[in-house]
Amino acid sequence: MIGWILKKILGSKNQRELKRLMPIVRRVNDFDEQFKSLSDEELRAKTAIWKEELAKIPELEDQWKRLDEILPEAFAIVKNAARRLKDRQDSFTVCDQPMKWDMVHFDVQLLGGIVLHRGRIAEMATGEGKTLVATLPLYLNALTGRGVHLVTVNDYLARRDAEWMGRLYDFLGLTVGCIQHDQEPDLRREQYAMDITYGTNSEFGFDYLRDNGMATTREQQVQRGYYYAIVDEVDSILIDEARTPLIISGPATISTHQYDRWKPLIEQLVRKQNMLCNRMASEAIEKFEQGNVEMGGRLMFKVKLGQPRNKQLLRMMEDPDKRRAVDKAELSFYQDTRKEELFALKEELFFTIDEKSNEADLSEQGRNFLNPDDPNAFVLPDLINEFTEIDLDPSLSQEEKDKKKAERQQHCDEQAERIHNISQLLRAYCLFEKDVQYVIEENKVVIVDEFTGRKMPGRRWSDGLHQAVEAKEGVQIDRETQTLATITIQNYFRLYQKLAGMTGTAETEAAEFHDIYKLDVNVIPTNRPVARKDHNDRIYKTRREKYNAVINEIRDCHVREQPVLVGTVSVEASELLSRMLKREKIPHNVLNAKFHMQEAEIVQRAGQPGTVTISTNMAGRGTDIKLGSGIPDKGGLFVIGTERHEARRIDRQLRGRCARQGDPGSSRFYVSFEDDLMRNFGAADRMTRIMERFGLEEGQELEHRWLNKSVETAQKRVEQRNYLIRKRTLDFDDVMNMQREVVYTYRNEVIDSEEPRTLIYEVVDEAVPAKVKEYLGAERDEEPNYTGLLHWVNTTFPLGLTKEKAQFDTRTVDENAQFLTGRIKDAYERKSSHEEPTAVKSLERYIILNAIDRLWQEHLYAMDALREGVYLRSYAQKDPLIEYKTEAYDMFVDLMANIKNEDAPARGRQLQPVGAMAAVAGDGDGAGEMTLDLPIRRAMPKVGRNEPCPCGSGKKYKNCCGRVA
Ligand code: ADP
Ligand code: MG
C-alpha cells in the first residue's frame, strides 16, 4: 500500500530513471538535425576519427568515459545514416530475400539504446524494433576496436539480423560478421575479427570452450576477447537455458553399463506395478462407493506414489471429494510421526516414483522380484567394515590385504553401477514419455526441451539416463560419454566486461537478473499505446473439454477470417491440436521451432485473413507478425494459449505476439484442472473448492478475474522453485568456474609462451627439490633414503647416475636438490640440442598441454561424481554445497599439484611434465608414454535411501550420516 502511494507521488523508480535519460535523447536529436547538412562521406568519416582516437586510449575505463561523452553524437550518426538509407530506397538482400530499408530510430528506441549501452536490460515489447535499437550501442562500443557481440536465439536470426543491420553498419564504415553452426574455424576467426559479430549463445560458448580448453596453438583459437555483448531475448537465454550447461564431450574410455541386460526385467516390473496400481485404483473406487472416503483416499495416494500418471487416478482427481480425500491422505502421511507408516506403505509397492523431484526408488519387494536368489544384489556392501576386517586379519600379508581390498572395492563399484542402472531405467519407464520429453528420430533418442518444445539433437541427458531411455526404446545404445569441457551459459556471459540484454519480458524476473547477472531492468514505453485486450482465462475440468473449446474458438475465428495464433507448451500438444483441426477440416500451420527459417516465413504471414498458426513458444520467435489488410477491423490477431506455462513470463511473451506497434489484438488462455501446472503445484486444492462452489458440470467453463489470480499464484510458486534450482546450479558451477579460469589461464600461458622450456624448468625446480626432501627426510627424523632417491631419479630421467656419481651423502639436502636439477637440465639441453629447435618447442608445448588436458578432464569426471555424491549427504542435514566446495577445493589442489609436479606411483606410469622431459630427452623410462592416470577420482558410491549407510553404522542411509569414509 505504502509502495503504491509513493509510486503515485514520486513516479516509479523506472520512470525516474528514464526521465533522467530524456535530455540525452534530446541531444541525440539535436545532433541528428545538425548532421543533416553533412555529405555521406563526412558523416562516415566520424567513425574512423573516433576509432583512431579510442585506439590511443590504453585503459578500458578511460575508453568508457570517452564513449559516454560521444554517445549523443554517435547515436545521432547512426540515426542519421538510417534516415539516409530510408530516403535512398535501394534494394539489398536479407536471407536471400530482397529488402528495402524503412526505419529511422524512434525516441523510445534511442532510450533503449542508452539503457543497453549502460549494461542493463531494456524491456521493450515485441515489435518495438529491438533489432534496430541494438545498432546504436553496438556501433558506439565497436568504436573501441575490441569487437562486440550480439547474441540471438537461433542461427537464422543471427544471419537475418547481421545481414539486415549490416546495411547500416556498412554505410557507417563498420564491418559485421555472423557465426553459423557449420562454419569452419578459419571462417569463424574472420567473423570474430569484424567490428561487430552476431551469433547464438551456444556458438559463442562452444567457441570459448574450444579456444581455451582444446586449442593447442594461438592459430587454432578463433575468438578475441569478451568485451561487450547484447543478448537478444535475454530471458530465454539467461533464464530458460540456464539449467543446461554447454558440454563438449567425447566417448568415455570404458563403459560398463548393463541397461540391455536389465531392460526386460524392469519392463516386467513396471508392468506388474501398473497392474497393481490399476487394482488399487479400482479398489479405491469401490471404497468410495461404500462411503469409506478415508480408505479410498489412502489407496489413491498409494497409486499416486506408484504410478502418478495412472488413468483411473487422473479421472478420480476430477472429482472434488476424491481429490480432497487423496490430498488429506498425502498430507497426513508426510507428518513426521507417520514416517514409519509411510515407509510401510511404500514397501507395499515394487518401487515409488516422485513426479516432482523426478526420483525412482526400489522397495524390498521390487528387489526380490529382480533377483530372488540374491536380494543383496541391490545393496551396497559395507566397505568400511570389510576393509577393517581385512586390515585386522593377521594371516594376510600387506600385499594380500591390498589385493583383497581392491577386489572388494571392485565388487562395490559393480553393485553401485547396477543400482544406478536400475534406478535410471525406472525413471526412463515411469517419468519419461515418448513425444513429450523426447522423440525418436533416425533410431536416436532426441531430447525435446521442456520449456520451448524445441528438439535438441546432439544433447544428451547425463549420468546414464540417456542410455536408459535408449534401452527402453530399443534403439542403439550409445557409448557413455565423458565431459571434455563444460561451462554454463551464466558463466560464459559473466566473462564479458559489459553485458546488456533486451526482451519483451524481463520484468517478472528482474530480481533474478539483478542477483545473478547484476543486470538491472528498465521498462521502455512503447512507441504507440498498446491496444491489446487480454481476456480472463477460461477454465475447464478436463483437458478434453478444454481442447474442444479451443477448437470451437478457432473455428469461429476462422469463419470470420480473423487470424489466430495458438500457443502450446509442448510438441505433443501442438500435434494433438493439429489432428483435431484436421478432423474439422480447418487448414493450419504447425511450428515446432525446428526449421527456423521456414517457420519465420510462416509466422510472418500469421496475420493474414483466416490463417490458423499453431506454435510452441519458441517457434518463430523474433519474427514480426504484420496484419493483413482489413484485419484491424476484425480485431487484429487473436492469440490463444492452450495451457498456462510454468512461468508467467512465457505467457506474457505469447500474448505479446499480437498487437504490435499499436495494432489491435486480443488474447485468451484456456486452462484445465488436468494441466501439469494445476496438478502439481497447489493450484488444484484451491480449484477443488472453487469447483464445488460453482458446481461445475461436464463441458462447463469458469471465467473470473480471481481465478486468473489463483493460477498466477501457482505460477509464482513454480517460478520461485525454478529460480532456486537455477541459483543452485550456479552456486555449484561457481566452484568449477574458478577452477576453470585458473586452468585455462595456465593453458593460455603455455600456448603463448615463446620458451615453453622455461615452464618445464619451473616444474623441475619445484618438483625435484620436493622429491629430494621427501627421500632425504628433511622434516622427519628418519634415515635418508639415498637408494630410493637414486632409483627415482634414474627411472624418471635418463641420467644414468650411479652411487659413485651421485654421492648424495656428501651434500646437504639443498645441495643435492641443486645438483640434481642442474644435472637434469644439462642432460636435457644436451639431448635437445641435436633436435630441430622449433620442433622441440612445439613438442614441449604439446606435452604440457596434454598433461593439463588429461588431468583436467579426469578432474571434471571426478567433480561430476562428487556433485552427485554430495547430494546424498543432504539427508544427513549437511549442506551439499558446502561439502562440495570443501572437497572440490581439495581435489583442485591435488589437480594443480599433479599438473605441476607429481607422478602417479600407484600406477607406476610416468606423469607429465616431469616425466615428459624424459620423453623429449630420449631414452628414459616411460618415454613416449602420454597416458595419465590419477588418483584424484574418488569412489563415490551411489547409495539408495534404504540401503545401509556407507559409514558402516548398519543404519539405513536415510537415517544416518551419509559419510563416505
Ligand atoms: P522486436 O525484436 O522488438 O520484436 P523487430 O526488431 O523484429 O522487433 O522489429 C519489428 C518490426 O518493426 C520490423 O518489421 C521493423 O522493420 C519495424 N521497425 C522497427 N523499428 C522501426 C522504426 N523506427 N520505424 C519503422 N519500422 C520499424
Ligand atoms: Mg526481436
Side-chain angles (χ1 to χ4, degrees):
M1 190 63 173
I2 300 265
W4 183 80
I5 293 170
L6 283 178
K7 233 183 235 174
K8 278 282 158 202
I9 299 171
L10 302 173
S12 69
K13 179 159 169 268
N14 187 57
Q15 280 165 345
R16 273 177 281 139
E17 280 169 354
L18 294 187
K19 212 165 152 195
R20 241 176 280 144
L21 302 182
M22 284 317 287
I24 307 180
V25 172
R26 278 192 290 275
R27 285 185 62 206
V28 175
N29 286 327
D30 290 345
F31 275 119
D32 175 40
E33 233 7 82
Q34 250 171 272
F35 292 157
K36 281 182 181 165
S37 59
L38 298 182
S39 70
D40 285 0
E41 280 65 40
E42 285 168 327
L43 192 74
R44 201 178 342 230
K46 291 268 187 189
T47 306
I49 295 170
W50 277 324
K51 268 188 125 177
E52 209 172 301
E53 184 199 331
L54 283 155
K56 289 192 192 117
I57 304 176
E59 292 297 320
L60 183 59
E61 293 286 310
D62 301 328
Q63 282 188 335
W64 268 336
K65 271 189 210 127
R66 185 65 189 134
L67 289 188
D68 289 339
E69 285 165 14
I70 62 172
L71 181 144
E73 244 180 301
F75 277 24
I77 297 273
V78 181
K79 176 168 174 178
N80 204 280
R83 183 173 312 97
R84 285 168 200 241
L85 286 177
K86 187 177 172 184
D87 292 343
R88 270 197 203 176
Q89 280 297 302
D90 51 358
S91 183
F92 60 107
T93 47
V94 172
C95 291
D96 310 317
Q97 301 287 325
M99 179 83 139
K100 280 195 173 125
W101 190 272
D102 60 354
M103 318 179 267
V104 183
H105 303 73
F106 301 129
D107 284 358
V108 286
Q109 291 180 316
L110 298 176
L111 207 53
I114 303 172
V115 169
L116 292 179
H117 168 68
R118 298 194 167 181
R120 299 169 145 248
I121 291 177
E123 176 177 303
M124 299 181 75
T126 308
E128 284 294 299
K130 291 184 283 291
T131 322
L132 184 65
V133 173
T135 56
L136 300 160
L138 286 175
Y139 171 78
L140 178 62
N141 284 274
L143 293 172
T144 59
R146 288 175 191 268
V148 295
H149 298 166
L150 190 125
V151 185
T152 61
V153 285
N154 63 50
D155 263 12
Y156 160 72
L157 288 174
R159 181 178 161 208
R160 184 198 74 177
D161 293 357
E163 291 181 6
W164 188 14
M165 297 301 119
R167 182 83 190 104
L168 187 59
Y169 300 130
D170 187 41
F171 186 90
L172 289 163
L174 285 187
T175 52
V176 56
C178 169
I179 308 289
Q180 298 279 291
H181 181 68
D182 50 9
Q183 283 169 346
E184 295 294 323
D186 286 341
L187 193 51
R188 278 171 192 265
R189 197 173 309 105
E190 274 173 35
Q191 308 306 310
Y192 281 113
M194 303 292 182
D195 293 308
I196 300 166
T197 308
Y198 284 70
T200 63
N201 61 334
S202 49
E203 293 306 317
F204 282 121
F206 282 132
D207 280 338
Y208 166 76
L209 290 176
R210 280 188 291 257
D211 274 9
N212 292 281
M214 316 191 92
T216 52
T217 60
R218 266 288 166 214
E219 291 71 48
Q220 287 170 6
Q221 299 183 331
V222 297
Q223 293 185 329
R224 57 173 181 126
Y226 312 93
Y227 161 55
Y228 176 49
I230 299 179
V231 182
D232 191 11
E233 310 282 2
V234 63
D235 57 328
S236 151
I237 291 176
L238 295 190
I239 292 184
D240 298 338
E241 305 231 350
R243 273 195 287 178
T244 16
L246 302 174
I247 296 173
I248 296 182
S249 55
T253 16
I254 31 162
S255 172
T256 50
H257 78 78
Q258 309 161 332
Y259 295 108
D260 278 343
R261 201 187 130 199
W262 290 105
K263 175 194 158 153
L265 271 177
I266 294 294
E267 215 166 56
Q268 278 181 42
L269 187 69
V270 171
R271 212 175 301 137
K272 266 179 98 94
Q273 170 112 327
N274 290 352
M275 269 156 58
L276 179 68
C277 287
N278 274 331
R279 225 171 25 237
M280 288 191 296
S282 310
E283 237 177 275
I285 295 174
E286 253 171 53
K287 292 286 175 208
F288 279 119
E289 277 166 5
Q290 293 161 8
N292 190 346
V293 178
E294 197 190 327
M295 202 51 211
R298 195 188 152 112
L299 280 163
M300 274 173 76
F301 171 55
K302 215 153 83 175
V303 178
K304 203 173 156 192
L305 282 176
Q307 195 194 3
R309 297 182 182 218
N310 181 292
K311 293 252 156 52
Q312 296 189 69
L313 175 73
L314 294 181
R315 214 168 303 136
M316 277 193 275
M317 293 293 251
E318 285 170 26
D319 181 322
D321 286 335
K322 297 190 177 117
R323 179 193 287 274
R324 185 140 20 84
V326 71
D327 288 349
K328 208 169 144 192
E330 180 162 7
L331 265 179
S332 74
F333 272 117
Y334 282 117
Q335 282 165 6
D336 265 5
T337 46
R338 300 189 65 180
K339 243 185 183 162
E340 298 289 313
E341 246 177 296
L342 179 64
F343 180 69
L345 192 77
K346 286 184 176 174
E347 288 296 316
E348 287 168 42
L349 295 158
F350 293 98
F351 55 87
T352 54
I353 290 284
D354 187 333
E355 212 183 356
K356 276 188 224 173
S357 65
N358 255 357
E359 265 170 40
D361 223 353
L362 216 50
S363 73
E364 196 72 42
Q365 257 202 85
R367 282 198 288 270
N368 278 332
F369 172 81
L370 289 181
N371 204 343
D373 306 330
D374 180 11
N376 281 338
F378 308 101
V379 181
L380 276 187
D382 181 357
L383 260 196
I384 314 300
N385 261 345
E386 287 181 7
F387 278 17
T388 322
E389 261 164 43
I390 294 170
D391 274 335
L392 293 177
D393 187 345
S395 69
L396 297 172
S397 71
Q398 189 58 42
E399 208 169 301
E400 285 166 325
K401 281 179 185 171
D402 289 346
K403 195 169 155 228
K404 257 205 143 96
K405 278 192 199 169
E407 275 168 21
R408 295 318 296 164
Q409 177 74 53
Q410 194 188 344
H411 171 71
C412 177
D413 288 350
E414 279 163 16
Q415 299 280 85
E417 182 72 30
R418 184 179 310 144
I419 294 167
H420 177 62
N421 284 182
I422 283 175
S423 122
Q424 293 296 41
L425 275 170
L426 283 175
R427 289 179 65 193
Y429 271 95
C430 300
L431 295 173
F432 287 77
E433 273 180 65
K434 194 163 114 182
D435 294 330
V436 181
Q437 281 95 346
Y438 64 91
V439 292
I440 303 293
E441 265 178 8
E442 292 170 13
N443 214 22
K444 277 193 163 44
V445 173
V446 179
I447 300 179
V448 174
D449 184 294
E450 60 170 316
F451 285 103
T452 61
R454 203 169 10 151
K455 288 175 203 167
M456 305 199 292
R459 293 245 180 124
R460 294 175 65 81
W461 285 302
S462 57
D463 198 26
L465 179 62
H466 211 91
Q467 284 86 348
V469 176
E470 283 168 339
K472 167 185 164 191
E473 294 297 340
V475 303
Q476 162 84 34
I477 301 179
D478 278 348
R479 281 207 296 166
E480 277 181 76
T481 52
Q482 180 184 334
T483 307
L484 302 181
T486 173
I487 190 169
T488 55
I489 299 280
Q490 292 144 324
N491 277 323
Y492 173 71
F493 284 110
R494 282 170 161 195
L495 292 168
Y496 284 86
Q497 309 265 10
K498 184 160 78 173
L499 186 63
M502 47 191 197
T503 171
T505 45
E507 220 187 345
T508 47
E509 254 74 20
E512 179 163 350
F513 283 124
H514 178 84
D515 292 349
I516 295 188
Y517 298 96
K518 306 273 169 289
L519 282 170
D520 290 316
V521 177
N522 278 129
V523 182
I524 312 290
T526 52
N527 189 40
R528 293 200 201 134
V530 180
R532 192 182 69 224
K533 171 106 184 71
D534 294 328
H535 298 286
N536 286 327
D537 293 6
R538 289 223 166 111
I539 303 182
Y540 299 82
K541 266 169 80 174
T542 62
R543 273 196 194 170
R544 195 169 41 79
E545 292 165 59
K546 177 183 77 174
Y547 281 122
N548 284 337
V550 169
I551 296 291
N552 286 338
E553 183 86 82
I554 296 174
R555 196 191 305 107
D556 290 349
C557 291
H558 186 64
V559 168
R560 60 170 186 269
E561 293 213 304
Q562 181 179 16
V564 47
L565 178 73
V566 189
T568 66
V569 296
S570 68
V571 178
E572 183 208 22
S574 285
E575 281 168 2
L576 173 71
L577 269 171
S578 171
R579 281 196 300 276
M580 292 175 82
L581 285 175
K582 262 185 207 142
R583 228 177 291 139
E584 298 284 323
K585 303 212 165 35
I586 300 175
H588 59 276
N589 288 309
V590 184
L591 314 180
N592 290 331
K594 201 168 149 199
F595 306 107
H596 299 296
M597 186 155 169
Q598 287 91 318
E599 293 186 4
E601 278 169 28
I602 294 172
V603 161
Q604 228 166 21
R605 293 193 301 271
Q608 297 304 315
T611 34
V612 176
T613 313
I614 300 174
S615 159
T616 53
N617 73 61
M618 279 308 287
R621 209 167 151 177
T623 303
D624 198 35
I625 304 180
K626 290 203 171 85
L627 297 184
S629 69
I631 299 302
D633 298 334
K634 293 183 164 58
L637 179 67
F638 185 38
V639 167
I640 294 178
T642 55
E643 192 164 335
R644 283 282 201 149
H645 195 272
E646 281 188 359
R648 287 169 296 165
R649 182 172 43 82
I650 307 286
D651 292 345
R652 284 182 69 203
Q653 187 73 243
L654 178 62
R655 288 198 204 271
R657 287 213 183 171
C658 68
R660 55 176 283 284
Q661 295 273 345
D663 283 347
S666 54
S667 70
R668 186 192 294 283
F669 276 86
Y670 285 74
V671 178
S672 92
F673 289 125
E674 290 179 335
D675 296 352
D676 287 342
L677 177 74
M678 308 291 273
R679 282 195 306 123
N680 284 340
F681 294 96
D685 285 355
R686 303 171 64 134
M687 293 295 166
T688 312
R689 286 199 295 276
I690 295 163
M691 274 160 69
E692 277 184 333
R693 279 259 294 281
F694 287 79
L696 197 59
E697 297 288 327
E698 177 83 5
Q700 270 186 337
E701 66 195 23
L702 285 176
E703 188 185 329
H704 195 281
R705 195 162 46 88
W706 57 264
L707 282 177
N708 292 15
K709 282 261 181 303
S710 179
V711 175
E712 277 167 25
T713 312
Q715 286 177 311
K716 278 188 205 161
R717 212 169 295 159
V718 191
E719 281 168 19
Q720 188 61 23
R721 172 175 154 275
N722 287 340
Y723 169 59
L724 290 177
I725 295 175
R726 287 190 293 269
K727 181 101 179 40
R728 203 80 182 146
T729 311
L730 191 69
D731 286 342
F732 273 91
D733 195 58
D734 269 348
V735 178
M736 176 92 94
N737 200 41
M738 178 275 296
Q739 303 182 349
R740 178 174 41 235
E741 261 168 39
V742 174
V743 171
Y744 282 2
T745 308
Y746 185 53
R747 227 184 156 276
N748 277 323
E749 238 171 71
V750 176
I751 290 178
D752 286 339
S753 92
E754 274 305 306
E755 289 296 331
R757 187 169 304 174
T758 51
L759 289 169
I760 294 189
Y761 281 178
E762 266 172 34
V763 167
V764 172
D765 287 336
E766 227 175 283
V768 174
K771 272 286 171 206
V772 172
K773 252 188 209 140
E774 192 184 316
Y775 280 108
L776 304 188
E779 293 100 33
R780 291 163 291 148
D781 297 328
E782 282 167 27
E783 279 294 297
N785 180 357
Y786 297 122
T787 335
L789 180 60
L790 194 65
H791 180 73
W792 176 76
V793 170
N794 280 328
T795 48
T796 314
F797 307 97
L799 294 182
L801 285 181
T802 60
K803 219 173 191 144
E804 290 70 42
K805 274 197 253 172
Q807 290 183 324
F808 291 133
D809 45 359
T810 62
R811 300 184 207 95
T812 64
V813 173
D814 285 344
E815 281 167 352
N816 271 320
Q818 238 167 22
F819 164 76
L820 277 182
T821 43
R823 288 297 288 261
I824 292 164
K825 287 178 191 174
D826 276 352
Y828 187 78
E829 296 287 337
R830 217 173 323 117
K831 283 274 179 194
S832 55
S833 65
H834 300 307
E835 309 287 334
E836 210 271 306
T838 38
V840 172
K841 268 185 198 170
S842 65
L843 182 57
E844 285 167 342
R845 245 181 244 118
Y846 176 78
I847 283 163
I848 309 178
L849 290 176
N850 202 283
I852 298 174
D853 292 350
R854 282 177 180 283
L855 292 165
W856 174 242
Q857 282 156 21
E858 278 279 353
H859 181 70
L860 289 179
Y861 190 99
M863 291 279 283
D864 274 353
L866 173 64
R867 186 155 169 174
E868 221 176 276
V870 291
Y871 266 108
L872 296 172
R873 301 176 201 186
S874 57
Y875 296 113
Q877 265 108 47
K878 288 196 175 132
D879 182 352
L881 181 62
I882 293 177
E883 297 269 303
Y884 178 74
K885 275 188 183 160
T886 329
E887 280 200 32
Y889 177 77
D890 291 346
M891 278 160 58
F892 188 67
V893 172
D894 282 359
L895 168 75
M896 291 317 279
N898 278 322
I899 286 179
K900 292 233 158 124
N901 58 26
E902 196 41 40
D903 58 1
R907 307 291 177 114
R909 282 190 186 167
Q910 289 302 319
L911 249 235
Q912 323 300 346
V914 172
M917 273 190 61
V920 176
D923 46 27
D925 170 49
E929 173 75 88
M930 294 284 183
T931 334
L932 307 176
D933 259 301
L934 284 178
I936 56 169
R937 183 177 156 187
R938 298 189 180 151
M940 222 20 102
K942 298 180 184 89
V943 193
R945 277 183 275 176
N946 292 322
E947 258 91 41
C949 182
C951 77
S953 66
K955 283 194 237 168
K956 285 196 175 167
Y957 194 86
K958 60 182 178 185
N959 302 325
C960 194
C961 65
R963 232 185 235 289
V964 185

